[in-house]
Amino acid sequence: MTVQQSSAAHGASRSGNFLRSQMRNIAPFATLILLMIFFSIASPSFATVDNAANILTQISVTGIMAVGLTFVILCGEIDLSVASIANATGIVVAFFTLQEAYVNIANVPLPGWLAIVFALGACVALGLVNAVGTTVIGIPSFIMTLAMMQIGAGICALLVRGQIAYNVPDLVMTLGSGRVFGFPTIALVLIAFLVVGHLTLSYTRFGRYIYMVGGNREAAEYSGVNVKLVLGAALVICAVCSGIAGMLGVAHFGSAQQNEFDGYLLDAIAAVVVGGTSLFGGRGGIGNTIVGLCVLGVLNNGLDHIQIDSFLKILIRGLILLAALIVNVYVQNIRTVERAEGA
């Protein structure tokens, strides 16, 4: 083999390795484009401005949860309590709001701003419990947040006892179900969370620490990073995002009740993972989460437009999540091999 042939072969090998390593980012975006093309052809009502706004509204609650979950997954951890904390926070804010006489809940009516403060305090407290359990006691995040899932469900059951509350403070109602120049305010809140999350991860020291902890925890410790503090902060951020999503979700859906957000756990995890953020930590970000949210939003909305069987829709979502997990593991294996060869 000549020198030129060897160089060409080496260049082709490097290009192939680059494409394989970037598959986690390329595959979700390509999937989104294909889904948009398919549904635009299959249903004339899909590719409209009104439907685009509708999709954005539909993914808003999931998206706010997913922003916080992105921080946790980038650290190489997981939070299974996001939906439960959202539910508990939504019920707490309704519990401290004056309800109609026909609502059979022995609640404690407070001024609207104080009800919001109590609800935010509740989600911060639940996040702190997750953080202490994971970083101080040493319980794996999977087990700790699984326990928190049950704790949140217990709080919901204790406060509403199977009943349904409807009223929330005016500010929460405006943000959750209001409109600004015809545009849903809950979608504006989602955009604000995505922007702040991206800026935090990309341009702050804390964001760099998140990637360091997820990429190589031992190296981060040797570099002087307080790994436990970073992990704890990520879990609290995740809980706060979930709590705010829960409050706005209650306003958007018009009621606060037990198990209201249970289905959002899988959606929030899927949005982060399908978008290309590595489950092993250190790779990905809010940009990936945006793509994942769009894939799920377009898929759910598009399947409704072509009137497919609702049970089949669940199966399709599961298959897409499985494909994303396979790509995730495949790319991680490639990186492991490259590191071993480099060593």
Side-chain angles (χ1 to χ4, degrees):
M1 182 181 290
T2 65
V3 174
Q4 290 180 341
Q5 290 174 325
S6 176
S7 299
H10 182 65
S13 176
R14 289 181 61 185
S15 298
N17 288 336
F18 174 78
L19 288 175
R20 284 195 296 271
S21 66
Q22 292 299 313
M23 186 184 299
R24 190 183 62 246
N25 296 320
I26 296 171
F29 189 74
T31 301
L32 176 61
I33 297 300
L34 290 174
L35 286 173
M36 291 175 67
I37 293 173
F38 171 76
F39 289 126
S40 297
I41 296 172
S43 174
S45 61
F46 176 80
T48 63
V49 175
D50 288 342
N51 192 50
N54 188 34
I55 292 173
L56 191 58
T57 303
Q58 290 171 350
I59 64 174
S60 293
V61 174
T62 303
I64 296 171
M65 290 185 194
V67 170
L69 197 56
T70 302
F71 282 77
V72 175
I73 292 179
L74 280 173
C75 289
E77 302 290 343
I78 192 67
D79 189 343
L80 300 179
S81 64
V82 289
S84 187
I85 290 177
N87 211 16
T89 308
I91 285 177
V92 166
V93 78
F95 182 82
F96 289 113
T97 303
L98 180 64
Q99 300 295 322
E100 302 294 339
Y102 57 81
V103 176
N104 189 24
I105 297 175
N107 66 327
V108 182
L110 296 174
W113 67 269
L114 193 54
I116 295 173
V117 169
F118 270 51
L120 290 174
C123 64
V124 169
L126 295 176
L128 285 171
V129 172
N130 276 338
V132 171
T134 302
T135 62
V136 178
I137 302 175
I139 304 172
S141 60
F142 179 89
I143 303 299
M144 182 63 231
T145 57
L146 185 64
M148 181 54 67
M149 182 195 301
Q150 296 300 311
I151 293 171
I155 292 172
C156 296
L158 183 65
L159 293 180
V160 297
R161 300 181 181 276
Q163 303 298 311
I164 301 176
Y166 299 97
N167 293 342
V168 293
D170 292 339
L171 176 60
V172 176
M173 183 62 71
T174 299
L175 293 177
S177 61
R179 287 181 174 270
V180 176
F181 301 111
F183 195 79
T185 50
I186 193 170
L188 294 176
V189 174
L190 168 63
I191 293 171
F193 268 76
L194 291 170
V195 170
V196 172
H198 174 70
L199 293 176
T200 302
L201 287 173
S202 301
Y203 300 106
T204 67
R205 181 178 297 179
F206 175 70
R208 291 193 294 271
Y209 288 168
I210 289 284
Y211 283 101
M212 289 174 67
V213 170
N216 191 324
R217 193 165 298 185
E218 187 175 344
E221 288 180 345
Y222 285 140
S223 300
V225 176
N226 190 332
V227 172
K228 291 184 177 180
L229 182 60
V230 172
L231 288 176
L235 287 166
V236 172
I237 289 171
C238 188
V240 171
C241 289
S242 299
I244 293 174
M247 285 193 286
L248 300 187
V250 165
H252 183 69
F253 300 128
S255 66
Q257 54 189 305
Q258 291 175 239
N259 309 319
E260 185 170 7
F261 297 99
D262 285 0
Y264 284 80
L265 171 60
L266 177 60
D267 286 349
I269 295 175
V272 178
V273 177
V274 168
T277 295
S278 175
L279 279 170
F280 303 94
R283 301 279 177 175
I286 297 297
N288 297 84
T289 299
I290 292 172
V291 174
L293 283 168
C294 290
V295 168
L296 294 179
V298 167
L299 178 65
N300 290 331
N301 183 274
L303 291 176
D304 288 337
H305 273 262
I306 61 176
Q307 298 180 343
I308 198 168
D309 189 326
S310 59
F311 296 103
L312 183 59
K313 182 167 71 172
I314 298 172
L315 174 62
I316 293 173
R317 287 166 55 192
L319 291 174
I320 288 180
L321 177 57
L322 175 61
L325 293 172
I326 292 172
V327 171
N328 232 297
V329 173
Y330 176 69
V331 172
Q332 182 65 23
N333 288 340
I334 290 175
R335 294 192 178 279
T336 302
V337 171
E338 289 177 348
R339 287 174 183 170
E341 290 177 349

